[in-house]
Amino acid sequence: MSKKSILLVAVLCTLLVALGGLTGCRQKEPVVVAPVSAPEPEPVEPEEPIRWPLTGMEAPDEDAIKGRTMSVKIDNHPQAQQIGINAADVVFEFLAEGGITRFHAIFQSDLPEAVMPVRSARDTDIHIVEQFGDPLFFYSGGNANVLRKVRAAGVTSMDHGSIGSALYQRSSAARAPHNLVVDLAKAYEVATDKGFEITTPEPIKGLAFQSLVFDNPDYSSVEETVTSTTVNFAGGSSVQWDWNDTDHLWERSVRGRAKIDGATDAQISTNNLIVMWARHGAGSQAPRGVSTLDIDVTSGGDAAIFMNGKRIDGTWVGSADAPPVFKDKEGREIELMPGRTFISIVDVGETITSTNAGADAE
């Protein structure tokens, strides 16, 4: 090839490279693609699960928490052996008469086959039933004036006299009248047969509980550590509750002996222990001249709340158709620990004594 031809080819090649059209003259530069960052996922806010109104614990679904509550009047005579009381969501203890207390236990999240011993109704029971969503009320008799008030209040009675052997039986393990057993596991079925509603349109208003997923309030400014407390009722009756830090429970003893739930042979216990001071007035006159007590559970008063090994002194605020609300001395509503609650109602002027590491606190 002549020099002229070689020069012409070189010029053409240079022009084509400049135009980016000749691959044979120069290797292409690799294409660099900048990485694209994936967008940050949106944070997922936790949601409070569906919870039982009277324990604050997680419930299976919305239908479950619309199940009608059940309340049972339970004996606390020294000869009585309680069965099934640890299955109750909320238990009230208050004086009957003669210095002896009885229990009013409210069930919803757990309906045991046996609750015992069922005893007679009192005036105060009517007010508690009205505060907890009109439960099906299980009891055995009462004086004529109390029973008249129960009927007048429209309480849904599932009492021994009207239900009989469909739900009730006598246990051979104890003597009457301390041996009447009721089967709550079958109660919805029997209530349906009687024409009673067994669900509520909406969940009942319950107690206030701390969250299962969110940060909870700090009560350190108003609480004190306690390991045991003694609750005094009238007539020399008293109960001791000791804090079990391993199981996070308050455990019940009377005269130095642990009180046992015969259903499981476990000590009677609770996650939250509350003492309410309330005025005790005369109730219905019995035919033999003995008056029952009618305790004011709506007007409010002082309270002591025990939870998580601590004591908070404050107040309770009552309502005719909702459970009591508990507040600390700064006026903040106290949110209870999720779990069971035991409420001792004592007369104004009665004392309780709390102990921690040898120091007493009235």
Side-chain angles (χ1 to χ4, degrees):
M1 182 180 292
S2 65
K3 289 182 179 181
K4 187 175 180 179
S5 298
I6 292 171
L7 181 60
L8 180 60
V9 170
V11 170
L12 288 173
C13 187
T14 301
L15 289 172
L16 289 173
V17 168
L19 294 173
L22 183 64
T23 60
C25 298
R26 189 176 71 173
Q27 220 174 8
K28 285 188 177 180
E29 294 287 336
V31 177
V32 178
V33 179
V36 179
S37 300
E40 289 289 332
E42 290 292 327
V44 178
E45 288 292 328
E47 292 184 2
E48 202 75 68
I50 297 169
R51 306 168 75 184
W52 291 105
L54 300 181
T55 67
M57 301 297 288
E58 186 170 355
D61 52 49
E62 286 281 356
D63 290 336
I65 63 175
K66 294 178 182 177
R68 194 168 181 181
T69 51
M70 303 184 188
S71 61
V72 185
K73 193 60 183 287
I74 300 176
D75 195 1
N76 189 35
H77 191 276
Q79 297 178 13
Q81 167 68 71
Q82 288 78 37
I83 291 177
I85 197 168
N86 272 349
D89 295 345
V90 179
V91 178
F92 285 86
E93 180 177 15
F94 51 89
L95 283 169
E97 57 273 328
I100 296 176
T101 65
R102 287 188 181 172
F103 305 115
H104 184 124
I106 303 170
F107 298 80
Q108 186 187 41
S109 64
D110 187 2
L111 304 178
E113 293 181 358
V115 177
M116 167 185 162
V118 181
R119 291 300 301 271
S120 55
R122 295 292 187 273
D123 301 73
T124 309
D125 298 310
I126 299 170
H127 309 311
I128 294 174
V129 164
E130 292 171 337
Q131 291 178 329
F132 283 82
D134 186 25
L136 302 171
F137 183 32
F138 300 82
Y139 60 97
S140 178
N143 78 48
N145 289 321
V146 169
L147 297 181
R148 177 180 53 80
K149 289 182 179 180
V150 169
R151 290 190 295 270
V155 172
T156 306
S157 293
M158 295 282 286
D159 59 295
H160 180 215
S162 61
I163 301 298
S165 61
L167 289 177
Y168 292 89
Q169 62 179 339
R170 293 284 179 183
S171 169
S172 61
R175 294 181 179 180
H178 312 296
N179 65 346
L180 186 60
V181 184
V182 64
D183 183 349
L184 296 187
K186 295 179 181 177
Y188 282 149
E189 179 184 348
V190 174
T192 300
D193 292 341
K194 296 279 289 183
F196 298 144
E197 293 292 334
I198 61 171
T199 60
T200 57
E202 298 295 331
I204 67 165
K205 181 173 178 56
L207 298 170
F209 290 98
Q210 296 182 20
S211 172
L212 295 175
V213 295
F214 296 104
D215 291 337
N216 283 302
D218 179 9
Y219 297 109
S220 58
S221 64
V222 293
E223 67 187 4
E224 61 177 307
T225 300
V226 297
T227 54
S228 69
T229 192
T230 299
V231 181
N232 298 306
F233 296 88
S237 176
S238 65
V239 179
Q240 181 172 320
W241 294 88
D242 297 300
W243 175 244
N244 181 330
D245 195 45
T246 301
D247 296 329
H248 299 282
L249 293 170
W250 296 98
E251 296 177 326
R252 179 183 179 92
S253 299
V254 176
R255 291 184 291 276
R257 297 182 62 182
K259 295 297 289 183
I260 303 299
D261 183 336
T264 59
D265 290 330
Q267 193 166 357
I268 294 175
S269 61
T270 188
N271 301 93
N272 304 292
L273 171 65
I274 298 172
V275 180
M276 287 172 44
W277 281 267
R279 291 191 298 272
H280 288 45
S284 299
Q285 188 80 16
R288 289 180 293 178
V290 178
S291 291
T292 63
L293 291 170
D294 191 355
I295 301 172
D296 182 356
V297 294
T298 61
S299 294
D302 292 330
I305 296 86
F306 298 85
M307 58 184 187
N308 200 30
K310 307 287 186 179
R311 170 178 172 169
I312 303 173
D313 289 302
T315 60
W316 65 275
V317 180
S319 170
D321 58 1
V325 173
F326 303 99
K327 296 184 178 183
D328 65 26
K329 288 186 175 180
E330 297 178 357
R332 297 177 300 174
E333 183 173 0
I334 296 172
E335 297 177 351
L336 304 175
M337 297 295 294
R340 295 178 285 115
T341 300
F342 202 107
I343 302 174
S344 297
I345 306 177
V346 300
D347 201 357
V348 175
E350 293 293 340
T351 61
I352 64 174
T353 303
S354 300
T355 304
N356 179 44
D360 292 347
E362 293 294 333

